[in-house]
Amino acid sequence: MKIIEKIDDMIRLRSQLAEPVGFVPTMGYFHEGHLSLVRQARAENPLVAVSIFVNPTQFGPQEDFSSYPRDPQRDLDLLEKEQVDIVFMPPVAEMYPPQFNSRVEVTKATERLEGASRPGHFRGVTTVCAKLFNIVQPTRVYFGQKDAQQAIVIKKMVLDLNMNLEIVTLPTVREPDGLAMSSRNTYLNPQERQAALVLYQALTLAQQLWSQGEKNAQTIRQQMTEVIQKQPLAKIDYVSIADAETLDELDTVKPPALVSLAVKIGSTRLIDNVVLE
Ligand code: PAF
């Protein structure tokens, strides 16, 4: 496994490789969700590259960039076991030198949900992903459905900017009790960890109501909201039922519909979603 920190070295190496590259961009601190992306990339491509880079430009000033969990040695050990070929882990100054002045921005799909709650977040994500795609020149890039809006925004960037690669989105990996795996779950104390199950309970309720024939989106949102409000440690940011492609909020559920929510459990903000098919 080659570990590369310099952009020039990564570009040089890639130019010597003719085979397709499956790429998993990450911020590290791996859990089974990340590893499921790496395994799929391994299964579908002769070469696999993973980036580990906690991207400062996608964190707001009051967000957790400095405290975001990091454990590069453990991450590298896990990637070695998954037989990854290349790990790109640049320092921040390598990706954003002092004279860096460019931004990549997708409009519309970034205006609601995470984009509304976290101003500038998606501009940071699309900027870093555009850079990573230019540097790694991947054939296929793997994202998790847990960050559903991120995957939609990246797909739009790839389409609009004619990037010659395929985006693959893979299902959310959950703990046995339903909590979606996330690096931020490590912030939860045992009481909050228990309370965090309310996200999955609300999503499961939405699925149940839909399968029982409920089509009124507001009725489903309302019932989800009531479930979450019963949990004293939970504070709702948003509960949304939107068109799974445009992210326009729906009055009447028309599949595929993205049911997504952001809820603060104590001081930890968690997101999760399901698709109503
Ligand atoms: O999903 C993530 O971990 C990040 O947003 C990404 C795609 C690696 C960009 O920094």
Side-chain angles (χ1 to χ4, degrees):
M1 187 170 82
K2 284 201 166 65
I3 300 169
I4 298 177
E5 292 192 359
K6 292 263 175 238
I7 293 173
D8 284 352
D9 292 344
M10 183 66 231
I11 291 176
R12 196 171 316 111
L13 174 66
R14 181 64 179 108
S15 70
Q16 291 158 3
L17 303 169
E19 298 103 318
V21 171
F23 177 47
V24 185
T26 80
M27 299 206 298
Y29 210 72
F30 295 148
H31 49 68
E32 277 299 310
H34 297 108
L35 297 179
S36 73
L37 304 180
V38 172
R39 286 175 196 136
Q40 190 72 16
R42 182 70 287 166
E44 293 181 353
N45 303 276
L47 291 169
V48 175
V50 175
S51 63
I52 301 176
F53 180 64
V54 185
N55 173 35
T57 65
Q58 69 187 75
F59 290 80
Q62 311 303 329
E63 293 184 1
D64 55 344
F65 171 66
S66 52
S67 58
Y68 194 82
R70 293 161 167 90
D71 192 346
Q73 193 49 59
R74 176 178 168 273
D75 288 346
L76 290 173
D77 292 346
L78 288 166
L79 295 182
E80 185 97 60
K81 285 201 192 95
E82 300 299 335
Q83 298 177 323
V84 165
D85 301 291
I86 302 164
V87 183
F88 179 53
M89 41 192 314
V92 171
E94 179 75 5
M95 290 294 272
Y96 300 113
Q99 65 277 19
F100 185 84
N101 282 328
S102 300
R103 300 285 181 271
V104 177
E105 182 150 28
V106 172
T107 56
K108 196 157 186 317
T110 56
E111 280 159 19
R112 299 194 54 254
L113 309 174
E114 289 304 285
S117 296
R118 304 181 65 190
H121 167 69
F122 284 120
R123 192 170 49 234
V125 171
T126 43
T127 301
V128 81
C129 284
K131 280 174 72 71
L132 290 168
F133 296 174
N134 281 333
I135 296 164
V136 177
Q137 295 283 315
T139 314
R140 296 182 193 88
V141 187
Y142 295 80
F143 287 96
Q145 172 64 20
K146 155 115 183 338
D147 295 301
Q149 190 177 11
Q150 170 170 276
I152 290 169
V153 169
I154 297 284
K155 275 190 190 148
K156 190 75 176 100
M157 173 184 80
V158 165
L159 182 73
D160 286 354
L161 300 184
N162 313 102
M163 294 177 170
N164 186 22
L165 51 90
E166 184 192 338
I167 299 293
V168 182
T169 309
L170 295 178
T172 302
V173 178
R174 299 183 178 280
E175 301 286 357
D177 60 8
L179 181 68
M181 290 200 185
S182 162
S183 304
R184 290 193 169 98
N185 291 350
T186 52
Y187 298 151
L188 303 168
N189 67 31
Q191 207 191 352
E192 291 168 342
R193 169 66 183 77
Q194 194 56 32
L197 289 178
V198 77
L199 279 86
Y200 187 60
Q201 283 159 7
L203 292 170
T204 308
L205 175 64
Q207 278 175 319
Q208 272 166 10
L209 292 168
W210 167 246
S211 62
Q212 286 159 13
E214 182 58 68
K215 290 196 170 58
N216 185 317
Q218 189 48 30
T219 305
I220 302 178
R221 273 186 219 104
Q222 184 57 37
Q223 296 211 31
M224 292 173 71
T225 302
E226 283 167 20
V227 165
I228 301 167
Q229 282 171 340
K230 283 196 192 120
Q231 171 49 250
L233 295 180
K235 191 163 173 293
I236 296 175
D237 181 351
Y238 61 78
V239 173
S240 158
I241 304 181
D243 180 285
E245 271 169 33
T246 63
L247 294 182
D248 289 334
E249 208 62 24
L250 296 172
D251 293 327
T252 304
V253 180
K254 195 169 150 281
L258 180 72
V259 184
S260 66
L261 73 187
V263 179
K264 258 187 146 182
I265 303 289
S267 57
T268 305
R269 186 173 179 281
L270 299 176
I271 59 170
D272 199 353
N273 66 82
V274 292
V275 176
L276 303 181
E277 305 281 2

